[in-house]
Amino acid sequence: MYSEKVMDHFTNPRNMGEIENASGVGTVGNAKCGDIMRIYFDIDDNQVIQDVKFKTFGCGAAVATSSMATELVKGKTIYEALQVTNKAVMEALDGLPPVKVHCSLLAEEAIHAALWDYCQKNDIQIEGLEKPKDDISEEEEEEEY
């Protein structure tokens, strides 16, 4: 059901924890499944993500997608981090069961929420970055119709 990479990131999550005085913090959730994900960024003066941590309350797939998402953005510029999609997270994990795809959406939205927070704190704009939704199940409901 789950790939070896999903199981590895679930049982040995990378970058778990929090960053005090983070440059950007993004928190998103999915009310339907109860998953909550928070991502912390430490961004330097060159707008490069030097460190990233996460805290996730949810299923194994939520923990695994959080862990992989942090790996994908670490060392990247804020502009490169914006390009990390839920599909990229799923591909890096060698796939997710269809019923767990929403976990990868949560990871993408948490990255965007942390970037949004960073931009708000520093009065900058990133083209294509929109204000994040607090609950991604709103997005799923829109897609169903």
Side-chain angles (χ1 to χ4, degrees):
M1 185 168 158
Y2 289 117
S3 72
E4 282 184 37
K5 281 189 182 176
V6 170
M7 293 306 296
D8 181 40
H9 276 268
F10 169 62
T11 56
N12 305 296
R14 280 61 150 190
N15 308 306
M16 197 160 61
E18 59 186 275
I19 297 172
E20 280 191 46
N21 304 314
S23 308
V25 180
T27 305
V28 294
N30 184 324
K32 280 186 178 175
C33 68
D35 293 338
I36 299 169
M37 193 177 291
R38 179 172 289 157
I39 289 188
Y40 303 82
F41 287 160
D42 178 21
I43 301 171
D44 70 14
D45 293 338
N46 296 317
Q47 299 181 332
V48 174
I49 300 168
Q50 292 297 316
D51 197 11
V52 56
K53 301 277 185 207
F54 79 91
K55 281 189 162 184
T56 294
F57 177 83
C59 65
V63 172
T65 56
S66 301
S67 175
M68 182 55 81
T70 63
E71 289 286 284
L72 293 174
V73 299
K74 196 172 201 173
K76 301 269 195 300
T77 68
I78 59 175
Y79 304 99
E80 291 168 329
L82 181 63
Q83 303 308 312
V84 174
T85 64
N86 74 301
K87 288 179 179 58
V89 172
M90 284 195 301
E91 285 172 12
L93 288 168
D94 294 335
L96 286 172
V99 72
K100 295 297 182 180
V101 169
H102 70 276
C103 294
S104 64
L105 285 168
L106 206 58
E108 179 183 332
E109 284 299 313
I111 291 167
H112 290 182
L115 289 170
W116 179 266
D117 183 52
Y118 169 76
C119 289
Q120 294 298 108
K121 289 177 179 174
N122 292 280
D123 198 29
I124 60 172
Q125 287 186 322
I126 301 175
E127 190 174 332
L129 181 62
E130 296 177 8
K131 185 171 193 227
K133 293 183 169 120
D134 292 329
D135 180 1
I136 68 157
S137 63
E138 299 167 16
E139 195 173 289
E140 289 176 349
E141 286 171 12
E142 289 169 14
E143 290 173 6
E144 288 173 10
Y145 296 105

